[in-house]
Amino acid sequence: MFDVLILGGGVSSMSCALVLGSANNKPFVSNKKIGVFTHQKTSALKEALFNNVYGIPAGTLGADLLKESTGHLLEKYPHITQIPNEKVLKIEGTAPEFAVTTNKKTYKTRIIVVGVGSANTFAIEGLMPSVEPHQKSLPEKQRIQLKNSDHKVKEGIYVIGTLAGWRSQLAIAAGSGAAVATDILTLWNGGIQTHAHDSIR
C-alpha cells in the first residue's frame, strides 16, 4: 500500500515527487511510502527548448530535463519508488483506499496525484466524469482539464500541471506540483501548514 502515488513523469509530477522526497527527515513523512509513475513517452517536454525559465540554463532541452529529473530523484531521494514503462488505465475506490491499474498490474494507494498531460486523448477510467475543456488554452488545441478546487478533484485525488487547468509554462507546472506536495505534507502533519526547504545554514 502506497501513501501517495503520482501519475506521470513530467514537470509537475517530478516536482511533486522531489518536494515530497526532500521532506523525508520530517517525522510524519519518514514512514510514508511514495511512488511515481515515470512514464514519459508522450510528454510534451520531448519537443521543448527552454530559454526563459528561472534557474535553468538557456538552451536546455526538455528531453534532457526529463532524463535529469528521474536521475535527480533516484540520487537524492532513493526511498521514492519509481515505476517506469507503465501506463495508468483505471482508478477505482474512494479515500482512503484506491486501486490504480496500469497495463501491467494494480497498485493500492491512499492518495493519488494526477500529473499527466492535458491532451484530449486522456482516457483514465474513473476520472472521465471530471473531464472538461481546458479553461486557459486556445479552443483549437482541444486540450482538457479535470474539474478541481485548488488542485483537489475529490477527497484523496489531486490534479497538477496543465491537467489542473494551468497554462503550459514549465515554471507554472513545477509550482503546481510543489503546491500539491506541500498540501499533502500539511495533511500528513495533522493539518499544520507545512513545506520543505533545504538550507546551507
Side-chain angles (χ1 to χ4, degrees):
M1 169 72 82
F2 284 90
D3 290 284
V4 59
L5 269 177
I6 304 164
L7 317 186
V11 176
S12 60
S13 296
M14 297 308 289
S15 177
C16 185
L18 287 165
V19 172
L20 290 174
S22 71
N24 194 48
N25 61 343
K26 297 181 185 292
F28 55 86
V29 180
S30 61
N31 64 341
K32 300 297 185 189
K33 188 174 180 186
I34 301 164
V36 56
F37 290 95
T38 55
H39 180 76
Q40 300 174 331
K41 189 174 181 181
T42 59
S43 174
L45 256 68
K46 289 189 175 252
E47 299 175 348
L49 167 68
F50 295 104
N51 292 314
N52 64 353
V53 182
Y54 179 80
I56 295 178
T60 297
L61 296 176
D64 291 337
L65 280 181
L66 287 171
K67 289 181 199 167
E68 289 169 13
S69 65
T70 53
H72 178 184
L73 189 65
L74 181 62
E75 178 187 348
K76 296 294 289 185
Y77 312 115
H79 60 282
I80 292 186
T81 302
Q82 292 192 40
I83 307 167
N85 305 318
E86 292 190 38
K87 185 176 180 181
V88 175
L89 303 176
K90 181 166 62 172
I91 291 172
E92 298 174 284
T94 56
E97 186 171 326
F98 297 97
V100 176
T101 301
T102 74
N103 57 322
K104 294 185 179 178
K105 62 185 292 188
T106 297
Y107 301 84
K108 300 284 188 181
T109 185
R110 293 182 175 88
I111 296 173
I112 295 171
V113 179
V114 188
V116 299
S118 56
N120 64 358
T121 53
F122 179 91
I124 298 178
E125 188 179 334
L127 291 176
M128 298 311 291
S130 296
V131 170
E132 64 181 3
H134 200 286
Q135 303 300 301
K136 293 183 178 179
S137 179
L138 293 170
E140 56 266 30
K141 290 188 180 268
Q142 298 184 334
R143 294 209 172 115
I144 58 99
Q145 67 180 59
L146 297 185
K147 297 174 196 169
N148 68 92
S149 176
D150 192 22
H151 293 102
K152 189 180 263 190
V153 177
K154 61 182 180 180
E155 197 60 39
I157 301 181
Y158 298 85
V159 61
I160 53 179
T162 56
L163 193 62
W166 298 106
R167 293 187 176 92
S168 57
Q169 294 283 145
L170 184 141
I172 295 173
S176 172
V180 166
T182 58
D183 286 346
I184 292 169
L185 293 177
T186 296
L187 180 68
W188 288 346
N189 196 23
I192 299 169
Q193 294 295 330
T194 307
H195 54 265
H197 287 308
D198 294 315
S199 173
I200 59 172
R201 287 186 308 219

